[in-house]
Amino acid sequence: SLCRRSFSAPRRAATRHACSLRCGALQLFLPETGPPPPVPPQFHRHAQSRVAAQIRAGAPITSGDGAPYSASALHVAARHGQVGALAALLRAGVSANASPDSTGMTPLHHTCEHAHVDAATLLLSAGADPNARDVTGRTPVHLAAQFGAAALLRLLAGAGGRLRARDAILDTPLHLAAMGGHGEAAQLLLDAGCRADELNRRLTPPAP
């Protein structure tokens, strides 16, 4: 999707890093990727009001972005950690468990893959399933562990996420945290009772 700047110079200065992305007929307002400073709260409030205005004007809220993954607007907002857009879409009636994209990932999967704690918190409060599985059998817990997001692991565990879930090749979240060298996430999982001697289909334990 085409990403283009959509704010005046003063607005860009206030929001620091911002771009727009069109998802079907709905335009989302997103922070740019890369290492910008944290997006200030007024950016999320502005994005929420802009997206809400488009929804009131009749923009479809479940259309895809035309990308290879056929993601809905909620998926795209989740992937970018766009709390304002997520809030507007959820308030408009989009389910937090929106139909998985073509990889089987839910919006919560995307927030965990990109370590967006605030977005994940919002989705979980709206009823997102922390144990939903993608086409490889991985849950949001697997992705949080794979990318070393210890804060997300705590959040998912508190919402009922299964810390010992196995994917299609029997990898547990502990396998993925260990393979990625994520010590804090691995220790959190061990402290929660995950076992270091469980084997996957490669007959590999989470730790040597």
Side-chain angles (χ1 to χ4, degrees), residues 164 166 170 172 174-175 194-200 204-207:
R164 294 180 63 182
R166 290 177 176 268
L170 305 185
T172 65
L174 184 57
H175 279 95
C194 297
R195 294 174 51 184
D197 60 351
E198 290 183 312
L199 300 180
N200 56 20
T204 304

Side-chain angles (χ1 to χ4, degrees), residues 92-191:
V94 178
S95 170
N97 294 303
S99 298
D101 63 20
S102 58
T103 67
M105 292 174 68
T106 65
L108 186 60
H109 279 94
H110 285 288
T111 63
C112 292
E113 183 178 34
H114 297 281
H116 296 310
V117 177
D118 289 345
T121 300
L122 178 59
L123 288 169
L124 288 167
S125 70
D129 182 2
N131 298 304
R133 294 182 181 273
D134 66 12
V135 295
T136 69
R138 291 187 176 179
T139 68
V141 178
H142 281 96
L143 294 182
Q146 181 179 358
F147 294 99
L152 273 172
L153 286 173
R154 295 187 187 93
L155 179 67
L156 292 164
R162 292 191 288 272
L163 301 184
R164 294 180 63 182
R166 290 177 176 268
D167 65 13
I169 61 171
L170 305 185
D171 275 335
T172 65
L174 184 57
H175 279 95
L176 300 179
M179 285 189 286
H182 302 302
E184 183 183 2
Q187 189 61 57
L188 185 154
L189 291 165
L190 288 168
D191 291 346

Side-chain angles (χ1 to χ4, degrees), residues 17-86:
H17 287 257
C19 66
S20 68
L21 184 148
R22 189 166 294 281
C23 186
L26 183 66
Q27 190 177 31
L28 302 179
F29 299 88
L30 309 166
E32 289 182 349
T33 57
V39 177
Q42 66 264 28
F43 172 79
H44 289 300
R45 289 194 295 270
H46 177 77
Q48 180 174 348
S49 64
R50 292 290 295 272
V51 172
Q54 292 178 77
I55 293 170
R56 288 194 298 271
I61 58 178
T62 58
S63 59
D65 62 357
Y69 303 118
S70 300
S72 72
L74 197 70
H75 287 83
V76 174
R79 185 187 310 149
H80 288 268
Q82 198 1 290
V83 177
L86 283 173

